[in-house]
Amino acid sequence: MAQFNETELTAAVVKSFEQTPNPRAKFLLQELVKSLHDYVRRTDLTFAEWEYAIDFLTRTGQKCSDIRQEFILLSDVLGVSMLVDAVNHRDRDGATETTVLGPFYVGEHKVTPHGTDISAKLEGERMFVQSRVTDLAGRPLANVPVDVWHADGDGFYDSQKPSFATEGASSRARFITDADGRFFFRTILPCSYPIPTDGPVGEMIMQTRRHPMRPAHVHFLVNAPGYEPLITHVFIGGDKYLDSDVVFGVKDELVAQVETRSDAAMPDGTKATGPWHLMTYDFHLKPGEGLAPKPLGAKVAEPA
Ligand code: BEZ
Ligand code: FE
């Protein structure tokens, strides 16, 4: 009869995965067992703490739906998402920096004409966003789908609001780059916002006296065939949370100095009704493979 002490148990569980056909799956499972067992030994984990953890993870799963991913949020606030991002993007070679996808990429972004106000129904300071997608040599990449999404002036994504089901997307669209790699649109200036605090992850953040804020940003997902998918944000320069993002997602290169303008018209000729903001930020893609990840639990349109 097999009987194990604390360390023999780890070796036995590791060995139990020895016949796993996929070598990578075998490696990942064995390393996971080693790290988990090590954690239990180092912390002298009690039964009550183990039960708390099981309950926490159960509630995390129960909070997930087609339009909410509490596990991604957990990964984000524990810095795991940014660590996965870091180990997978070690050599940028001048390509635009990457950051977390976040839980609000729900897919189904609708192709939208350049210049559209994607926040037309929302109150807020108006902003014009102009951008160009190029390769590492600065050559334009035409016909590339770029998904864009950001929070409203109260810090909520459209998918967090009950109206999403009936009214559809807001502050969320797909643009296709023109022959010169350009795309542009109008929207509102996003503000800093808290991650959702009405679930187990938010509960953890509040109970541990962390703050739940993310600095203001716009999300971009650029998906060009023959290039690495680019999942990133552009942050609004000057935001007070740039140094303490709850998901550790800020990189200096991703902070844009958004200008305040008083010109009567925006760059595409749209008449301004008052002062407005101009965000200019270009994306440089690295040759590579792969489609950007689809949001879990959600359907997403394939790139054109
Ligand atoms: C976001 O930027 O939308 C986000 C990212 C990570 C966690 C929560 C929100
Ligand atoms: Fe966001």
Side-chain angles (χ1 to χ4, degrees):
M1 195 173 77
Q3 188 170 314
F4 310 103
N5 67 22
E6 277 180 29
T7 43
E8 287 165 351
L9 181 63
T10 304
V13 180
V14 167
K15 192 156 169 263
S16 75
F17 285 106
E18 208 48 49
Q19 304 309 318
T20 308
N22 180 320
R24 180 70 180 163
K26 174 178 152 183
F27 174 68
L28 292 177
L29 285 165
Q30 291 183 328
E31 292 303 309
L32 178 67
V33 168
K34 287 186 216 166
S35 298
L36 279 176
H37 283 215
D38 199 38
Y39 179 83
V40 173
R41 269 188 299 268
R42 277 191 291 113
T43 59
D44 285 326
L45 199 71
T46 67
F47 273 113
E49 289 159 348
W50 177 82
E51 273 169 27
Y52 186 95
I54 298 287
D55 178 63
F56 177 83
L57 291 174
T58 305
R59 290 188 292 120
T60 300
Q62 287 165 341
K63 202 75 190 169
C64 294
S65 71
D66 273 6
I67 53 168
R68 174 143 183 187
Q69 237 307 337
E70 194 78 356
F71 273 114
I72 295 185
L73 194 59
L74 179 59
S75 162
D76 293 340
V77 302
L78 294 180
V80 175
S81 305
M82 282 310 286
L83 195 54
V84 174
D85 180 75
V87 301
N88 282 278
H89 294 118
R90 284 195 172 115
D91 305 309
R92 295 312 288 149
D93 301 330
T96 301
E97 289 293 341
T98 52
T99 188
V100 287
L101 178 66
F104 300 119
Y105 181 60
V106 298
E108 302 274 9
H109 285 197
K110 202 168 131 218
V111 174
T112 304
H114 293 190
T116 302
D117 185 348
I118 64 170
S119 300
K121 292 188 195 146
L122 298 179
E123 300 274 318
E125 297 175 31
R126 307 326 286 184
M127 179 167 78
F128 190 91
V129 179
Q130 56 186 8
S131 176
R132 191 160 179 252
V133 180
T134 75
D135 66 10
L136 295 185
R139 286 181 294 246
L141 296 177
N143 236 357
V144 171
V146 180
D147 281 342
V148 172
W149 66 107
H150 68 80
D152 68 14
D154 296 322
F156 291 106
Y157 284 79
D158 54 0
S159 61
Q160 292 177 283
K161 299 186 228 172
S163 57
F164 188 53
T166 47
E167 288 175 28
S170 172
S171 311
R172 182 186 295 279
R174 172 172 290 189
F175 297 95
I176 308 289
T177 58
D178 68 12
D180 199 26
R182 294 182 194 281
F183 68 94
F184 53 91
F185 59 95
R186 288 176 290 139
T187 189
I188 55 168
L189 184 72
C191 59
S192 38
Y193 64 85
I195 60 163
T197 50
D198 61 341
V201 174
E203 200 179 280
M204 178 182 77
I205 292 296
M206 303 321 273
Q207 286 179 1
T208 55
R209 308 290 187 269
R210 287 173 60 179
H211 77 64
M213 300 302 289
R214 296 219 62 207
H217 59 271
V218 179
H219 293 254
F220 293 89
L221 194 162
V222 190
N223 203 0
Y227 293 84
E228 280 184 5
L230 175 67
I231 296 171
T232 198
H233 312 349
V234 177
F235 293 92
I236 312 294
D239 191 287
K240 73 177 199 183
Y241 294 106
L242 283 172
D243 289 331
S244 64
D245 182 5
V246 65
V247 304
F248 311 96
V250 180
K251 295 177 179 172
D252 290 348
E253 300 87 335
L254 296 177
V255 179
Q257 297 317 317
V258 175
E259 294 172 45
T260 304
R261 305 288 288 255
S262 49
D263 321 33
M266 295 185 180
D268 66 345
T270 303
K271 215 165 155 279
T273 49
W276 50 282
H277 304 278
L278 177 63
M279 174 191 276
T280 307
Y281 197 92
D282 293 345
F283 299 100
H284 308 295
L285 302 193
K286 191 177 168 171
E289 291 302 321
L291 285 175
K294 295 178 182 185
L296 297 177
K299 284 184 283 155
V300 62
E302 293 296 341

